[in-house]
Amino acid sequence: NTVTTDNHITTRGSDWYFAVTAIMAVSTIAFMGLSFTKPRSQRLFHYITAAITLVAAIAYFSMGSNLGWTAIQVEFPRSNPKVAGDFRQIFYVRYIDWFVTTPLLLLDLLLTCGLPTPTIIYTILMDEIMIITGLVGALVKSSYKWGYFVFGCVAFFFVAYTVVFEGRAHARALGQDIAKVYTVCGVWTIFLWFLYPIAWGVSEGGNVIPSDSEAVFYGILDILAKPVFGALLLWGHRNIDIARLGL
Ligand code: RET
């Protein structure tokens, strides 16, 4: 079970993972620090957001340490012989991170627009189906992996529908300032989340790009979707009393 060098992260890939670890860790400290500027009753969004970057920091520490992965046999990619190899490194720890953090990201967003609890619960359930089908698909070596990918995309459709249509309508009803922070964070989320299945398709799915490129692709997405999203959200909440959201 040898992993060819081209399908395995290099020292530079590992350094990049550690750089992202540092960004996530510093963001966690910053979000917790910012929570002290608010009374205890107003810190919910700080806690959720800090938990997201904390979990990511640990996942990135694992990947930088070359842990949390397994070798999966791949078919020879004719489109790009440079990445040809018998095995590809699949970082399953990414999915453990996403299983915890994507529901928290949705909570940040859907609590901001005051959606009813049943809607939030079913949207998070769809999100969990999306992540788990992505994980199983990544670990499957045959082309059945694309079946899981399709299930994941269908689940993602429901998540996107809630964020784009239901969430926007509820946010508007809560007032202009809330609608504004919801729109900024919602558009940011949907735009970025659409890029994840593309990254999956060329990495775990089609084995088109090597593991170092995968590290950069997902890494940039994670920085934008977690610390940058969190900063936008907390900034948007700075003058909003969470009692207005029913919290
Ligand atoms: C997978 C593959 C299956 C189909 C779809 C996917 C979408 C994943 C998404 C992940 C978002 C992750 C975030 C992480 C934290 O920053 C699982 C790749 C649709 C949208 C935001």
Side-chain angles (χ1 to χ4, degrees), residues 75 77 79 83 88 145-146 200-209:
E75 286 166 48
S79 54
V83 296
R88 183 188 176 89
K145 60 165 68 247
W146 295 104
W200 191 98
V202 295
S203 307
E204 290 100 323
N207 192 35
V208 176
I209 62 171

Side-chain angles (χ1 to χ4, degrees), residues 98 101-102 105 130 134 149 152-153 156 193 196-197 200 222 225-226:
W98 295 349
T101 58
T102 55
L105 287 163
M130 174 186 86
F149 180 75
C153 290
F156 180 44
W193 285 36
Y196 281 86
W200 191 98
D222 282 354
K226 286 177 168 129

Side-chain angles (χ1 to χ4, degrees), residues 95 99 126-138 148 152:
Y95 298 87
F99 191 75
M126 287 297 149
D127 173 77
E128 286 173 339
I129 290 174
M130 174 186 86
I131 300 302
I132 296 299
T133 51
L135 170 62
V136 174
Y148 288 94

Side-chain angles (χ1 to χ4, degrees), residues 156-230:
F156 180 44
F157 169 83
F158 287 93
V159 175
Y161 186 90
T162 302
V163 171
V164 173
F165 295 104
E166 316 244 6
R168 213 157 39 120
H170 277 78
R172 277 209 208 102
L174 290 176
Q176 258 227 295
D177 51 346
I178 293 175
K180 197 172 152 207
V181 47
Y182 182 79
T183 303
V184 169
C185 296
V187 167
W188 186 247
T189 295
I190 292 305
F191 169 70
L192 291 170
W193 285 36
F194 258 106
L195 299 175
Y196 281 86
I198 295 172
W200 191 98
V202 295
S203 307
E204 290 100 323
N207 192 35
V208 176
I209 62 171
S211 294
D212 273 358
S213 313
E214 171 194 327
V216 172
F217 199 156
Y218 279 132
I220 290 174
L221 286 181
D222 282 354
I223 291 168
L224 297 176
K226 286 177 168 129
V228 176
F229 167 89

